[in-house]
Amino acid sequence: CSAIDACESSNGGCSSKAECRRTTPGNRACVCSAGYTGDGIVCLEINPCLVNNGGCDRKAECTQTGPNQAVCNCLKGYSGDGKTCTYISLCSQNNGGCSEFAVCNDTELTERTCTCKPNYTGDGFQCRGNIFQELLRNSNTSRFYSYLETLSIRDLSGPGPFTLFVPHTDVLNSDRRVKDWIAKGVMAQVLRYHMVGCATLLYKDLTATTNVTSLQGDLVHISHSQNSLVLNNKAEIILSDAVGTNGVIHVINQILVP
């Protein structure tokens, strides 16, 4: 007589995911393979994500990849290996995309707010100081600023409001009359002729205005020409509405002469 191998046929009736082990002649035990659980007759794949999030961080997603196998991936807004996930502060990099003159505050995942600092105005992404500061920061108007500094003209540092018609830097650099005005001591009056006090006049306001009085004392005439605003029938406004805390700057393509 020979012993009957209970595992010889059909895996001994065990699950295909189990190992059939001979015990005594004619008997066997069914043991689920690694990664499976059950009584051996029925073996189910173990999903490690169902217990303690598979060992992943609570701010991570556990994804089953095989029997008792899984990967951990940090959720959006967090970084790490999945086992440990750390909140990513949007404000920690490049000030969250806010202006350098703004305060960035994380509000919730992938969200933040940008608020201009005191003494600055804007939407948080673009913040401007007073127009004297803004003249220096913008290459289109920085030459005008340098002349104000050279001549110690400090009108624009006050509370305002002011409206400025600033000749483009290229115009101030190329107009030969500037040197003559400086030599004759009249450059300060020429510069003040480009300044209007007591009003922040945006482009839309200027369209409804025919004359404004400059800080120099003379009038500046405003007219329309081919969908543009023209000052004294010569200088066209080419850039407009750079709003600061104490006024607004418009860039023009010629120097105004009182």
Side-chain angles (χ1 to χ4, degrees):
C1 296
S2 60
I4 297 174
D5 184 353
C7 295
E8 186 175 12
S9 176
S10 299
N11 198 33
C14 301
S15 166
S16 62
K17 303 299 182 183
E19 177 188 359
C20 181
R21 297 177 181 174
R22 295 172 57 188
T23 54
T24 57
N27 295 302
R28 54 92 177 100
C30 298
V31 180
C32 290
S33 302
Y36 294 84
T37 184
D39 60 5
I41 305 300
V42 176
C43 294
L44 301 176
E45 192 173 279
I46 297 173
N47 183 353
C49 296
L50 298 178
V51 179
N52 196 31
N53 200 29
C56 304
D57 190 280
R58 63 188 183 91
K59 296 299 183 181
E61 179 181 18
C62 179
T63 304
Q64 184 183 5
T65 57
N68 204 27
Q69 296 177 330
V71 294
C72 303
N73 294 298
C74 293
L75 298 175
K76 186 176 181 180
Y78 294 85
S79 65
D81 60 4
K83 298 293 185 180
T84 301
C85 297
T86 305
Y87 174 63
I88 300 172
S89 169
L90 292 179
C91 297
S92 64
Q93 298 180 351
N94 195 32
N95 201 31
C98 304
S99 164
E100 62 180 308
F101 303 110
V103 176
C104 179
N105 286 306
D106 289 292
T107 54
E108 54 186 76
L109 289 181
T110 69
E111 297 292 337
R112 52 88 178 87
T113 60
C114 302
T115 306
C116 291
K117 295 177 180 178
N119 300 320
Y120 287 87
T121 185
D123 60 6
F125 297 98
Q126 187 175 53
C127 298
R128 295 189 176 99
N130 66 50
I131 52 179
F132 193 63
Q133 295 170 310
E134 294 306 310
L135 287 172
L136 174 62
R137 290 176 55 197
N138 191 326
S139 61
N140 295 325
T141 59
S142 58
R143 189 60 174 159
F144 190 87
Y145 171 88
S146 69
Y147 283 126
L148 295 179
E149 279 284 271
T150 300
L151 298 171
S152 298
I153 299 174
R154 294 286 185 266
D155 306 60
L156 303 179
S157 297
F162 301 100
T163 298
L164 297 189
F165 303 111
V166 180
H168 193 281
T169 289
D170 293 343
V171 173
L172 287 172
N173 286 336
S174 61
D175 197 314
R176 296 180 180 178
R177 296 175 297 173
V178 172
K179 289 184 178 180
D180 292 334
W181 291 331
I182 293 175
K184 294 176 181 179
V186 298
M187 188 61 180
Q189 292 307 305
V190 173
L191 295 176
R192 285 193 171 95
Y193 187 53
H194 294 77
M195 309 175 192
V196 177
C198 303
T200 297
L201 299 172
L202 301 177
Y203 192 91
K204 65 179 182 180
D205 301 318
L206 295 173
T207 61
T209 306
T210 55
N211 293 289
V212 291
T213 303
S214 70
L215 293 185
Q216 178 267 345
D218 289 347
L219 292 178
V220 177
H221 178 67
I222 303 172
S223 59
H224 292 266
S225 176
Q226 298 180 346
N227 298 321
S228 298
L229 281 180
V230 178
L231 309 180
N232 291 350
N233 298 316
K234 294 181 65 177
E236 180 181 344
I237 295 178
I238 55 176
L239 297 169
S240 62
D241 293 353
V243 178
T245 56
N246 64 340
V248 62
I249 299 170
H250 305 288
V251 179
I252 56 179
N253 63 357
Q254 289 193 45
I255 300 174
L256 302 177
V257 182

